[in-house]
Amino acid sequence: MGVIHSQLTQILPPKPTFTPDNIPDLSGRVVIVTGANAGIGKETAKALLSHNAKVYFACRDEVKALAAISELREITGGKGIFLRLDLADIHSVKAAAETFMSQETALHVLFNSGGVMVCPLEATTAQSYDQQFGVNVLGHYYFTKLLLPALAAGSKTSPDGHSRVVTTSSSAHNLTNNINFDTLKGNSPSRKQVGRFGLYAQSKLGNVIVSTEFSKRYHDQGIVFTSLNPGNIKTELQRHLRPIEASLLNLMLYDVSYGALTQLYAGTAPAAVELNGKYLIPWARLAQPNPASQDPKLGGELWTWLEEQVKDL
């Protein structure tokens, strides 16, 4: 795959060359998909179950998760497993990781697929973090960090000698070049200045930064870290948009079946094992992310901030 520079090709990508039919047999692989009860996460879980993976549905809403598990069992024959995870509560994140590791010795693929978009400015997590950064970045960072021992063990039993962590970002990460740390917790006036879309953009930039930082620190344990833009996909993620915003965005949205392609490639394709620290765009193509996401100074600052938030848990 060549490196893709054009933003237009992300909005109007060429026909995919990778489809779920290209996924190898995943028998014996243990996988977690966050947000697997709906949207891209559900579509991802469907493809994984169809190829014999053991899939944990890491979700906040048990009723919705069990409904998705039941529906996909009818379609695929595979039975997903519910794992209670509320990314908006870091204590729930810790409990989810502990529950998983009490049941499994190894994890082969972690899809950090769940998330929220353009929430109301007043929306915060259980620990008063900005809802978008708390869920999209802090929650997934902490979950990944806690699962590192299982991922390291998974690399030893994977056919290619590696486990994988796939983090879903967005083309919106290109809309900012900075993380405004004043906006991440509490009710700073900066939150209103940055606005809902700005807070979303910095959370998606944070996703790429964190994936990059993990790739530097833990690849020697046999773990491959990638991040990606899944494409402009019609899902429940748009539920907080105003009607005029939603109607404009709908003009360039693709069906959810397309949304899982890029992360399924990163998480399952044999060739993707070589992509540690890389960024992908629709549909399953290598690209250059926002240069700010590769800035070691910003990466170090965000990593230090994240470590500080969870050090006493």
Side-chain angles (χ1 to χ4, degrees):
M1 292 184 297
V3 177
I4 310 298
H5 298 281
S6 170
Q7 295 301 311
L8 181 61
T9 189
Q10 299 188 53
I11 299 172
L12 298 170
K15 183 179 178 180
T17 58
F18 175 86
T19 75
D21 290 338
N22 301 123
I23 297 173
D25 179 54
L26 301 175
S27 297
R29 309 281 187 94
V30 178
V31 184
I32 296 176
V33 182
T34 70
N37 63 284
I40 293 173
K42 183 178 176 183
E43 198 70 20
T44 299
K46 175 183 173 183
L48 297 168
L49 289 168
S50 296
H51 290 81
N52 305 313
K54 185 177 185 180
V55 183
Y56 281 81
F57 286 54
C59 309
R60 175 180 58 84
D61 191 318
E62 183 173 3
V63 172
K64 290 182 179 179
L66 293 178
I69 288 169
S70 178
E71 178 189 340
L72 295 185
R73 186 173 190 181
E74 290 292 320
I75 295 171
T76 69
K79 184 180 180 182
I81 303 164
F82 173 62
L83 178 65
R84 187 181 304 280
L85 169 69
D86 183 355
L87 290 163
D89 182 350
I90 49 181
H91 297 300
S92 172
V93 173
K94 184 177 183 181
E98 290 174 345
T99 296
F100 174 81
M101 294 207 292
S102 72
Q103 297 174 2
E104 302 286 350
T105 58
L107 175 61
H108 299 96
V109 191
L110 168 61
F111 287 94
N112 287 325
S113 184
V116 292
M117 174 181 174
V118 293
C119 303
L121 280 176
E122 62 272 17
T124 56
T125 71
Q127 287 76 35
S128 299
Y129 294 99
D130 168 63
Q131 183 85 1
Q132 299 189 80
F133 209 86
V135 169
N136 297 347
V137 184
L138 177 58
H140 277 123
Y141 154 80
Y142 191 39
F143 196 45
T144 304
K145 177 182 173 68
L146 293 172
L147 291 171
L148 287 171
L151 287 160
S155 70
K156 295 177 173 61
T157 57
S158 175
D160 58 26
H162 293 82
S163 56
R164 309 186 194 193
V165 177
V166 182
T167 298
T168 306
S169 178
S170 165
S171 59
H173 93 281
N174 289 294
L175 300 179
T176 184
N177 293 320
N178 191 37
I179 303 293
N180 185 333
F181 290 91
D182 288 340
T183 66
L184 302 188
K185 194 172 186 180
N187 290 312
S188 163
S190 299
R191 289 175 54 74
K192 189 172 183 180
Q193 295 168 6
V194 173
R196 297 180 304 140
F197 285 92
L199 292 171
Y200 177 66
Q202 75 173 6
S203 79
K204 294 290 98 179
L205 176 63
N207 283 147
V208 184
I209 292 172
V210 172
S211 180
T212 300
E213 293 300 313
F214 267 120
S215 75
K216 296 175 183 176
R217 290 169 166 81
Y218 295 101
H219 184 56
D220 62 355
Q221 295 188 24
I223 311 170
V224 174
F225 297 87
T226 53
S227 58
L228 58 94
N229 166 25
N232 296 328
I233 309 298
K234 187 174 180 59
T235 71
E236 293 180 8
L237 195 64
Q238 290 98 31
R239 64 186 177 275
H240 293 299
L241 292 175
R242 299 181 178 113
I244 184 62
E245 295 166 345
S247 62
L248 291 172
L249 186 60
N250 277 337
L251 297 174
M252 52 183 179
L253 294 182
Y254 288 82
D255 184 77
V256 68
S257 61
Y258 285 89
L261 292 178
T262 304
Q263 59 194 48
L264 284 168
Y265 175 84
T268 70
V273 77
E274 304 295 335
L275 299 182
N276 184 56
K278 301 300 184 182
Y279 177 76
L280 294 96
I281 61 171
W283 313 112
R285 296 175 297 151
L286 191 62
Q288 290 285 12
N290 183 342
S293 70
Q294 308 302 299
D295 178 2
K297 181 175 182 294
L298 181 58
E301 290 174 351
L302 179 55
W303 190 268
T304 298
W305 183 88
L306 291 166
E307 292 276 87
E308 186 71 20
Q309 309 316 302
V310 302
K311 69 176 183 179
D312 296 325
L313 297 176

